[in-house]
Amino acid sequence: MLYKMTGGRPLSGDVYISGAKNAALGIMPAAIMASEPVTIENLPDVRDIRVLLDAMVEIGVTVERADAHTVKIDGSTVNKVRVDNEHIRRIRAGYYLLGALLGKYHHAEVALPGGCNIGARPIDQHLKGFRALGAKAEVENGIVIVDAENLHGGHIYLDVVSVGATINVMLAAVLAPGNTIIENAAKEPHVVDIANMLNKMGAAIRGAGTDVIKIRGVERLKGTQYPVIPDQIEAGTFMFAAAITQGKITVHNIIPQHMDAISSKLIEMGCEITEYDEDITVTGKSHLRPCNVKTLPYPGFPTDMQPQICVALSKARGRGIVTESIFENRFRYVDELLKMGAHIKIEGNKATVDGVERIKGADLIAPDLRAGAALVLAGLGAEGTTTVDNIEYIMRGYESFDEKLRRIGADIEIVPGASDSTESEIG
Ligand code: UD1
């Protein structure tokens, strides 16, 4: 399937932000660790979430969908600790089932993510963490096998700040007797959200949101009802849509503090930002100013917003430099922007972007989730007609993307396309 759009209209109006995909992907496995049912609210209705729910059903979890955004999960019916279906290999976050099942059942086998195209994405830090908790952790024929006769608290220093490893070790540690300390932990909002949810279930986690997370193992986790935080990256994508199309967009149901790094860059580029308690209005100006940006772990500028800012810079007046410091190979979409007349040069992990007066519509292919969304923004800010193919990627993480864009004035529709690729794994 592809999106077909005609650019050039300023996008204006209100966008209601969905729950955070990356938080939900950790919260669902956390839920199966409880001895009682857990209700998760504000779940985004996106493909990655559906895949994980299906994988959970396959191992015996009882999943009841109250509506598109609310699900009741009962992990007490789990009858298998091996997760290996064709779909789970397509979502990287399936590995959170490792931490959750290891923590609860002391054994787990989960298929590794398949095709992955933002460079090497190892899981050595996850395995190092599990081993510090007394587990054996091996990879055999693409399946990660973790086993612990005697799971216990441990002291882990993460060699790289990893969101995935922080969450996975936290999941494995909450039921492990004794104390666990995770140093150099990731501080992303979704790490905090998963910790908050686990604490509501009776876990004893302190320090989530700082470099050091301390966990005292508890005997059991109880049921709860928990709403997922709003999606920082979805909100950031729509904020950049205002900048790129010179429109005026209010993103609703967000946590403005999570948006600070993104708001600062938009201000630097000349946009006007008005913050309310749970909403932000971005007013784009006729000429964007260039800026330099480096992706960093939270609270820095998120790597998942790197393609979106690159699109904005391609329309700015002057030169901006984008440095990608989290993932290798995350500039694959730049070839697509060149087709639109953008001036971008890549050297290693740096993109030098010389803004041009206008970019023109072209036929594009989304290489992954976030870059796909950024190419749509480019199409909406370009002259003429653009198509973006491989939109299955975008559907992995953006709920009703085209519909939300149409509501703010975009001329965009879904049309049948040649390809249906779901091999990429990013974001
Ligand atoms: C998560 C997000 C993704 C986001 C990324 C960085 C989910 C489902 N995905 O991915 O959208 O782009 O955080 O904010 O939440 N690393 C290692 N060894 C490990 C683990 C990671 O070397 O064991 C490296 C990675 O290669 C990368 C860096 O650490 O260079 C950060 O990766 P990490 O934070 O783990 O990203 P993910 O959790 O995969």
Side-chain angles (χ1 to χ4, degrees), residues 316-386:
R317 283 198 162 167
R319 172 173 287 187
I321 295 176
V322 181
T323 307
E324 172 56 55
S325 73
I326 310 290
F327 291 113
E328 315 154 16
N329 198 15
R330 208 173 182 172
F331 284 125
R332 289 164 19 106
Y333 65 90
V334 164
D335 282 343
E336 304 302 299
L337 292 180
L338 298 183
K339 291 183 195 164
M340 306 179 89
H343 284 187
I344 305 171
K345 213 170 113 207
I346 305 292
E347 271 170 302
N349 67 338
K350 274 193 174 45
T352 304
V353 189
D354 286 310
V356 292
E357 194 66 32
R358 57 182 63 85
I359 52 174
K360 295 198 184 74
D363 294 327
L364 312 175
I365 298 174
D368 61 66
L369 164 59
R370 305 301 174 187
L375 292 180
V376 171
L377 300 191
L380 294 170
E383 273 180 5
T385 302
T386 294

Side-chain angles (χ1 to χ4, degrees), residues 22 92 95 121-126 162-164 304 326-327 427:
N22 289 347
R92 186 166 167 83
Y95 57 35
R121 289 179 80 172
I123 59 157
D124 56 304
Q125 298 303 306
H126 303 234
S162 160
V163 174
D304 286 355
I326 310 290
F327 291 113

Side-chain angles (χ1 to χ4, degrees), residues 67-124:
D67 58 50
H69 302 110
T70 311
V71 72
K72 190 168 163 190
I73 289 178
D74 185 353
S76 67
T77 51
V78 166
N79 51 30
K80 241 178 29 181
V81 288
R82 183 179 169 98
V83 192
D84 180 16
N85 67 20
E86 50 168 320
H87 302 298
I88 199 77
R89 289 178 188 268
R90 291 184 177 155
I91 62 162
R92 186 166 167 83
Y95 57 35
Y96 290 142
L97 289 169
L98 280 171
L101 293 171
L102 176 67
K104 181 132 188 235
Y105 299 103
H106 299 179
H107 186 91
E109 302 182 12
V110 178
L112 272 181
C116 162
N117 60 12
I118 44 172
R121 289 179 80 172
I123 59 157
D124 56 304

Side-chain angles (χ1 to χ4, degrees), residues 22 98 116 153 164 191 210 230-231 261 294 351 366 381 384 392 417:
N22 289 347
L98 280 171
C116 162
V191 173
T210 75
D231 199 304
K294 183 174 180 181
E392 289 76 11

Side-chain angles (χ1 to χ4, degrees), residues 133-148:
L133 302 179
K136 282 191 219 134
E138 308 297 338
V139 184
E140 281 173 27
N141 303 323
I143 312 261
V144 190
I145 303 174
V146 289
D147 184 78

Side-chain angles (χ1 to χ4, degrees), residues 245-257:
T245 66
Q246 297 162 18
K248 181 175 180 178
I249 297 175
T250 303
V251 285
H252 295 278
N253 301 345
I254 58 155
I255 301 175
Q257 192 199 339

